[in-house]
Amino acid sequence: MDLAILEMSAPRERHSELTSTLFGELYILSLGKKFYLRKEDRGLVYQKHCGNGDIYSLVDVTDDEITADVIEELGYIIPDILLFDKNPYLLSKSATKLAGFPDLVIEVWSASDTKYIKAIKHTIYATGNTEHWYLTQKSNKVECWLGREKLKSQNLSNVLKTQAGLAIDLRELALEK
């Protein structure tokens, strides 16, 4: 499997520790495979549709009308960690934006993340068949979703497992009970 793993994190105490360790574990899992690694901020492109309320969705790169130029004009959001299997726009003209459905998106929530921001990000990541996880800095709970389907929550006290079978060991970061 070709993996591209992208880390995008803001400097926060536990936030940084969680995202750095997650990124390191995903990097180790990708060794021996062709992958694209990026540690700088990268934006995940989405479209905003207005009408009966705002509807946000990730860009479908299989759409024949989606080109690198179109990607440049669309809005973007910066997740903490993105993992892609294959994506034709990973190496697009854009220095800051990616398009398509990631295989895994991970967000580590902080106190400054409002309910509105959390709802928007959740809506965007729920597009397509993307697996998306949400961690809080004050607990061991990992809320897991696949598209719009809520999956069983996981816990940092155990090895985390993606739907694709990747095992991520963050037990060293689990908070004591």
Side-chain angles (χ1 to χ4, degrees):
M1 171 166 56
D2 294 340
L3 293 178
I5 304 169
L6 306 159
E7 177 187 39
M8 295 159 241
S9 61
R12 298 180 184 121
E13 287 181 40
R14 185 154 160 81
H15 187 278
S16 180
E17 183 181 25
L18 285 166
T19 56
S20 295
T21 304
L22 268 164
F23 186 71
E25 288 294 318
L26 289 169
Y27 175 80
I28 290 168
L29 290 172
S30 70
L31 289 176
K33 298 171 172 63
K34 183 179 178 183
F35 67 95
Y36 174 64
L37 181 66
R38 186 91 174 187
K39 284 193 170 192
E40 299 169 12
D41 285 350
R42 300 281 289 193
L44 183 59
V45 175
Y46 70 94
Q47 293 176 331
K48 176 181 175 184
H49 307 279
C50 296
N52 293 340
D54 291 335
I55 300 171
Y56 301 87
S57 65
L58 293 177
V59 172
D60 182 356
V61 295
T62 62
D63 183 334
D64 291 338
E65 295 184 16
I66 299 297
T67 64
D69 293 336
V70 170
I71 289 170
E72 285 294 329
E73 301 301 317
L74 297 172
Y76 66 96
I77 195 163
I78 301 175
D80 292 311
I81 294 178
L82 288 171
L83 184 143
F84 282 95
D85 180 2
K86 295 178 183 169
N87 186 303
Y89 289 104
L90 282 176
L91 301 173
S92 75
K93 296 177 189 176
S94 175
T96 59
K97 297 180 183 180
L98 297 168
F101 303 119
D103 294 281
L104 178 64
V105 175
I106 301 174
E107 280 287 352
V108 179
W109 297 132
S110 64
S112 63
D113 289 315
T114 65
K115 286 182 181 181
Y116 178 74
I117 293 297
K118 289 178 181 181
I120 294 297
K121 287 186 174 187
H122 184 272
T123 300
I124 292 169
Y125 304 153
T127 305
N129 206 25
T130 295
E131 187 170 355
H132 41 118
W133 293 357
Y134 304 95
L135 291 79
T136 63
Q137 297 183 54
K138 296 182 179 182
S139 79
N140 290 328
K141 182 180 176 184
V142 180
E143 186 179 317
C144 303
W145 293 78
L146 181 61
R148 289 182 168 80
E149 177 188 351
K150 181 145 178 36
L151 303 173
K152 182 179 178 184
S153 293
Q154 299 189 59
N155 194 297
L156 290 178
S157 300
N158 304 313
V159 174
L160 304 175
K161 294 186 180 169
T162 67
Q163 293 296 297
L166 291 175
I168 306 166
D169 189 353
L170 300 177
R171 291 179 289 185
E172 67 190 54
L173 297 179
L175 297 171
E176 293 187 24
K177 295 180 182 182

